[in-house]
Amino acid sequence: QKEVEQDPGPLSVPEGAIVSLNCTYSNSAFQYFMWYRQYSRKGPELLMYTYSSGNKEDGRFTAQVDKSSKYISLFIRDSQPSDSATYLCAMSGSGGSYIPTFGRGTSLIVHP
Amino acid sequence: DADVTQTPRNRITKTGKRIMLECSQTKGHDRMYWYRQDPGLGLRLIYYSFDVKDINKGEISDGYSVSRQAQAKFSLSLESAIPNQTALYFCATSALDSPGDEQFFGPGTRLTVL
C-alpha cells in the first residue's frame, strides 16, 4: 500500500458544480498537506497548503484535513472549465529534510 | 523568463543510447529534484540534491545518474536508455526554509525510448 492514495479518476462534472477531491494517507508524521494543480503539458504548481488539521479557504477553493481519519479533501465551488486539470495531493513532515510524497493525481474535467 | 527551465522539451531516442536531460533555475534555491511521471503512477522521485555537494537517491534511481554542476544546474543521465524509461520527466526546486518543502517544477521533458 502506498503512503498516499488518490483516485486517478477521471472526474467529469458540469460547469458550476461543487467538486470534491480526496486523498488518504498512512504516515502519522505528515504535518503539511498540499494540493498541486497540473494543466496539460505543464509542470505541477502549488495551489494550497494546510499545516496540521483544519480548513483553509482561498476563493473558490477549500482544503480540509482530518488527521484523525488520515483524510484530506479539496473542494472547488462553482467549478469552471478553466479548472480542468490534474490535481495532486502531497504531504510532508516538519523539519528541513522532508520531501513531499505525492498522490497519483485526479484528472478533473469541467464541461460547459 | 521561466524560473525553472528544462532542455530538451521532447526527445525520441533508441534503446541503448545515452541521454542527458538538463535543468537550470534562476530561483536561487539550494534544493533540486528529478521526478518522472507515468500515467496511473503519479510522480516518482529519481534523485535529489540539497546542495552542490549533496546527491541522494530517490525511490527509483536504478538506470539513472545525476550531476549537480552548480547551484543552478542539475542534470539527469540515462546511461543506456530502455523503453520502460519512456515517461515525462520533471525537474523541481525548493527553498531551504519552505513550509512543506514547496516544489517549483519545470515544464517537463517528454522522453520516448524506442
Side-chain angles (χ1 to χ4, degrees):
Chain A
Q1 182 186 10
K2 289 175 67 69
E3 274 191 309
V4 177
E5 297 282 358
Q6 184 177 13
D7 187 333
L11 179 62
S12 182
V13 301
E15 183 176 355
I18 297 175
V19 175
S20 173
L21 304 169
N22 311 292
C23 290
T24 60
Y25 64 97
S26 58
N27 189 341
S28 299
F30 289 146
Q31 294 287 342
Y32 287 95
F33 302 91
M34 295 156 281
W35 288 95
Y36 284 77
R37 180 172 59 194
Q38 183 179 16
Y39 290 115
S40 180
R41 302 185 187 281
K42 302 283 188 182
E45 290 184 308
L46 182 68
L47 184 61
M48 304 179 65
Y49 84 88
T50 307
Y51 177 72
S52 194
S53 286
N55 295 357
K56 187 172 185 178
E57 188 173 322
D58 184 1
R60 296 184 294 111
F61 298 87
T62 300
Q64 284 187 354
V65 175
D66 182 350
K67 293 188 75 178
S68 63
S69 302
K70 294 188 175 67
Y71 188 87
I72 72 169
S73 301
L74 177 70
F75 297 96
I76 306 174
R77 292 184 300 279
D78 187 24
S79 57
Q80 302 295 309
S82 59
D83 295 327
S84 297
T86 297
Y87 291 81
L88 299 95
C89 62
M91 307 174 190
S92 68
S94 58
S97 61
Y98 279 90
I99 299 170
T101 300
F102 286 86
R104 292 186 294 172
T106 299
S107 175
L108 172 66
I109 302 166
V110 182
H111 51 87
Chain B
D1 288 342
D3 294 318
V4 184
T5 57
Q6 293 183 234
T7 55
R9 294 294 312 278
N10 291 280
R11 182 71 184 267
I12 299 174
T13 190
K14 295 182 178 179
T15 297
K17 294 291 188 181
R18 185 179 187 274
I19 296 296
M20 179 180 286
L21 309 183
E22 298 186 341
C23 177
S24 294
Q25 54 114 346
T26 58
K27 299 191 74 67
H29 290 166
D30 287 320
R31 299 181 175 187
M32 298 188 73
Y33 310 80
W34 276 104
Y35 293 89
R36 64 176 280 176
Q37 188 175 42
D38 300 272
L41 295 178
L43 282 167
R44 292 184 291 169
L45 184 63
I46 305 172
Y47 271 95
Y48 62 100
S49 169
F50 281 174
D51 64 41
V52 174
K53 297 179 181 178
D54 176 76
I55 301 288
N56 302 282
K57 293 182 178 180
E59 180 185 353
I60 52 162
S61 59
D62 287 348
Y64 302 94
S65 62
V66 291
S67 174
R68 184 81 184 266
Q69 299 96 324
Q71 187 208 34
K73 296 185 181 296
F74 194 34
S75 60
L76 176 72
S77 293
L78 288 67
E79 296 300 326
S80 179
I82 56 176
N84 78 358
Q85 291 177 313
T86 293
L88 189 55
Y89 289 84
F90 287 104
C91 174
T93 74
S94 69
L96 179 63
D97 56 354
S98 168
D101 198 27
E102 179 185 355
Q103 308 271 297
F104 292 85
F105 288 86
T109 293
R110 187 167 296 277
L111 177 66
T112 303
V113 183
L114 302 176

